[in-house]
Amino acid sequence: MSGAIHTVTPNPALDQTVTLDALRAGSVNLARAAHVNAGGKGVNVASCLADWGLPVHVHGLLGRDNSGPFEQLFADKRIDDRMQRVAGASRVNIKLADLETGATTDINLPGPETGEAELAALASGLAQVGAGDLAVLAGSLPPGLPRDALARLCAQLKRQGAWVLADSSGSPLAAMLANPPEALPDCVKPNREELAQWAGHPLPALDDVVRCARGLQRMGVGRVVVSLGEQGALLVDADAALLASLPPQRPLSTVGAGDALVAGLAAAKSQELDAADSLRLAVAFAAAKLQRVGPHLPPEQQIRELAAAVSLQTLDAA
C-alpha cells in the first residue's frame, strides 16, 4: 500500500441528471426521473475510491452558496474535506440521459469567478501532500484561473514527491504536458477525442491512438491510459501497449464512467498492481459505474467479477 490519496477538483459541479425515455430536440420532453449529485471529476473519483474502501482527501475550490450537497457526500462517505471555500456557487451541470439511445447530452454551466488568490490557497492546502502520496488532478478550471493552473499544481506536487495522475482536457491538459520532464504527470487519462485535440489531428484508427500515446510516454509521461468508450481502454507504458475490453454493457447512466476509470487506476496504484491488473480493475470500475446514477460503485464482489471478465490484448507497441 502506498501513501495517502488526494484528489484535486478546481471546478466541482452539482450534476443534475435528467432521465428521459427519448430526447426530442425542440420539443417538450417529459422526464422519467431527476437526480442531483455532488460531482466534478475529482469529487467523483474520491467518491468511487471511498466506495472501494480507500481513505481519500479532497481538495479544490468549492462555492459557499451551494456547498451543502458536497459536504453531505463527504460526511456520508467519510471523505476528508480539504476544499477551499470561495465566494459564489459551484457550477451546475445538466445531463440529459436518453434511455432510447443510451446517449447523454451535457449542458455545463460556468463555475464561480476565481483568480490567483484562490489558486494560491489551493496550492497552500496541497503543501501537506508528501512523498509517496498519490494525487489526482482532475477536470476543468473555473472562470478566472490561469490556463496553466493545473500545470503549476502538477509541478508543485511532483517537487513534493507525489505520484500524479491527471485527467483533464483542452488548454489545461496541454499546459500540463508542456511542463519540463521532471514536472510532467506520471499518468494521464484522456479519452480519444481529448487526445486527438492535444495532438492537433484526428486519431481514427487504434494504431493512431497507440502511436500518439507512445509519443506522450516517450516525452516522459510514464503511463498513458486512453478511454475508448465501448471499445474499452488502452494502456501504454514503457513495457507494453494493452487494450482492455468487456462484453457490451447496457448502461443506466454513462455519466462519470471516465471518472470511475480514473478511480480504478488510483486504486490499482495504491494497491501496487501491475499494468495488466491495473487496467482490468480500472475498466471494471468504469463498467460497474454504468449501472449507477451518480458517483457510486456497487459492492466489491461485483467489481472483482467484472475485472475477471476483462479481456486483454497486447498491441504492437509501434
Side-chain angles (χ1 to χ4, degrees), residues 85-151:
R85 301 313 194 260
V86 300
S90 294
R91 66 199 171 120
V92 176
N93 289 343
I94 302 162
K95 298 172 183 297
L96 306 176
D98 184 329
L99 293 177
E100 183 177 80
T101 64
T104 300
T105 302
D106 287 30
I107 302 168
N108 293 350
L109 304 182
E113 195 66 41
T114 57
E116 287 288 346
E118 288 78 13
L119 179 57
L122 181 51
S124 176
L126 288 168
Q128 63 205 264
V129 177
D133 287 355
L134 190 160
V136 179
L137 290 173
S140 61
L141 300 174
L145 277 201
R147 65 182 290 277
D148 68 346
L150 287 180

Side-chain angles (χ1 to χ4, degrees), residues 73-274:
L73 175 73
F74 302 152
D76 289 347
K77 297 203 177 190
R78 297 181 181 176
I79 294 168
D80 179 29
D81 177 7
R82 301 186 185 183
M83 288 271 184
Q84 304 290 329
R85 301 313 194 260
V86 300
S90 294
R91 66 199 171 120
V92 176
N93 289 343
I94 302 162
K95 298 172 183 297
L96 306 176
D98 184 329
L99 293 177
E100 183 177 80
T101 64
T104 300
T105 302
D106 287 30
I107 302 168
N108 293 350
L109 304 182
E113 195 66 41
T114 57
E116 287 288 346
E118 288 78 13
L119 179 57
L122 181 51
S124 176
L126 288 168
Q128 63 205 264
V129 177
D133 287 355
L134 190 160
V136 179
L137 290 173
S140 61
L141 300 174
L145 277 201
R147 65 182 290 277
D148 68 346
L150 287 180
R152 285 152 62 177
L153 294 176
C154 184
Q156 172 188 333
L157 290 163
K158 291 288 289 178
R159 282 195 304 273
Q160 292 167 205
W163 191 88
V164 178
L165 167 52
D167 181 17
S168 189
S169 60
S171 59
L173 174 63
M176 261 191 292
L177 294 176
N179 274 356
E182 69 276 7
L184 286 171
D186 297 277
C187 179
V188 295
K189 200 286 313 161
N191 62 32
R192 187 186 213 130
E193 292 74 27
E194 291 161 351
L195 185 63
Q197 184 184 10
W198 172 79
H201 55 81
L203 303 170
L206 191 56
D207 281 353
D208 300 320
V209 180
V210 174
R211 211 169 292 116
C212 188
R214 180 63 71 200
L216 263 179
Q217 192 261 324
R218 288 197 187 108
M219 272 171 47
V221 179
R223 178 171 288 177
V224 181
V225 179
V226 186
S227 50
L228 301 168
E230 291 176 357
Q231 270 189 285
L234 170 76
L235 182 150
V236 171
D237 66 11
D239 299 318
L242 300 172
L243 178 67
S245 55
L246 265 173
Q249 309 288 307
R250 182 67 182 162
L252 178 64
S253 169
T254 58
V255 175
D259 304 332
L261 187 83
V262 172
L265 292 170
K269 176 65 179 174
S270 176
Q271 292 161 221
E272 299 177 350
L273 302 184
D274 65 16

Side-chain angles (χ1 to χ4, degrees), residues 276-289:
D277 285 341
S278 295
L279 189 55
R280 282 192 184 95
L281 187 64
V283 169
F285 266 49
K289 162 65 203 74

Side-chain angles (χ1 to χ4, degrees), residues 4-111:
I5 302 176
H6 302 260
T7 70
V8 184
T9 314
N11 202 16
L14 286 176
D15 288 330
Q16 181 166 26
T17 302
V18 180
T19 307
L20 307 153
D21 286 324
L23 177 61
R24 303 282 182 252
S27 301
V28 175
N29 289 265
L30 187 63
R32 177 176 282 204
H35 302 269
V36 176
N37 295 285
K41 280 185 174 295
V43 172
N44 292 344
V45 170
S47 180
C48 290
L49 288 169
D51 286 346
W52 189 243
L54 290 171
V56 59
H57 315 280
V58 286
H59 305 256
L61 302 175
L62 190 59
R64 287 192 194 93
D65 293 357
N66 57 355
S67 61
F70 296 92
E71 291 161 352
Q72 189 66 56
L73 175 73
F74 302 152
D76 289 347
K77 297 203 177 190
R78 297 181 181 176
I79 294 168
D80 179 29
D81 177 7
R82 301 186 185 183
M83 288 271 184
Q84 304 290 329
R85 301 313 194 260
V86 300
S90 294
R91 66 199 171 120
V92 176
N93 289 343
I94 302 162
K95 298 172 183 297
L96 306 176
D98 184 329
L99 293 177
E100 183 177 80
T101 64
T104 300
T105 302
D106 287 30
I107 302 168
N108 293 350
L109 304 182

